[in-house]
Amino acid sequence: MNSERRHELQQNDLAVYLNKINKSIEPYSKIIAVGVAVLIVGAIALAFYRSEQTGKQSEATLQLIQASASDDPEVLLTVSDAYPGTSAAEWSRLYQGQLYLSQGIQSLYSDRENAEDLLNNAKQALEAALAAQSKDVVLRSRAQFGIARADEALGNLDEAIEGYKQVIEINESEAMDE
């Protein structure tokens, strides 16, 4: 048998096979087309959603960086309120608490009443950072450490000791445990 005849027979076998497949899926062609269209639309929607989330996270991070340059804890609160559910919101609450804590400790001996208000505000902000249930060990450790320091400055020594024990349990690093 010559090569042209073999090639012709192979083409016929392929044509027959493709024709069988075509006939078997022909009744379902509209359903398949709709399924493919739904998958394409779903993929586009998912890509758009992820893009929006990435943009939101980037904007939140930028706002956090700008707000952290301020000495006003309320500016940091606006980041947390504007971008709930982002890591920047959690970190803004941590920074806010640390700023209140620093201001409270500085005024502890000059204006006791104001210092207590600032330290209580620090505890609230740091507890809010913890309440977000972040998986970030550093954030949780620093927030708990700040709460313990605020309790210590307020004279709540038993609560401070428990807070420091919780910092050790979080186990951020050996340096924090010592």
Side-chain angles (χ1 to χ4, degrees):
M1 195 181 311
N2 65 18
S3 65
E4 289 179 21
R5 178 73 179 135
R6 265 187 268 141
H7 184 68
E8 185 180 310
L9 289 174
Q10 286 176 351
Q11 284 182 338
N12 287 340
D13 289 342
L14 180 59
V16 170
Y17 180 71
L18 291 174
N19 194 24
K20 282 182 184 178
I21 291 175
N22 189 26
K23 285 184 180 179
S24 65
I25 64 170
E26 189 175 354
Y28 307 106
S29 63
K30 288 183 182 177
I31 295 171
I32 292 170
V34 168
V36 168
V38 167
L39 287 175
I40 290 171
V41 168
I44 292 170
L46 180 62
F48 181 74
Y49 173 76
R50 286 188 177 169
S51 174
E52 287 289 317
Q53 292 303 312
T54 302
K56 180 180 176 184
Q57 184 68 27
S58 295
E59 179 65 24
T61 302
L62 176 63
Q63 294 298 321
L64 173 60
I65 291 168
Q66 291 173 342
S68 63
S70 168
D71 284 340
D72 185 3
E74 296 305 315
V75 173
L76 289 160
L77 180 62
T78 61
V79 174
S80 178
D81 290 344
Y83 302 99
T86 63
S87 60
E90 296 167 2
W91 281 96
S92 70
R93 294 299 290 204
L94 175 70
Y95 293 158
Q96 179 190 30
Q98 289 176 335
L99 194 54
Y100 276 132
L101 179 64
S102 174
Q103 291 172 353
I105 289 173
Q106 286 177 2
S107 66
L108 195 58
Y109 297 105
S110 60
D111 185 357
R112 180 74 181 177
E113 192 174 306
N114 184 43
E116 287 178 357
D117 288 341
L118 290 168
L119 292 168
N120 284 321
N121 288 342
K123 281 183 66 173
Q124 288 175 348
L126 295 166
E127 287 168 351
L130 281 178
Q133 307 258 335
S134 176
K135 294 178 182 171
D136 190 331
V137 175
V138 174
L139 184 134
R140 290 192 343 258
S141 175
R142 302 296 164 90
Q144 188 58 55
F145 185 71
I147 292 169
R149 286 187 62 206
D151 280 330
E152 182 180 1
L154 287 167
N156 305 329
L157 299 182
D158 291 336
E159 291 176 26
I161 291 169
E162 283 303 311
Y164 289 128
K165 286 179 182 177
Q166 289 177 9
V167 171
I168 292 169
E169 287 176 19
I170 293 171
N171 195 22
E172 173 193 336
S173 67
E174 286 184 31
M176 286 295 286
D177 292 347
E178 293 178 355

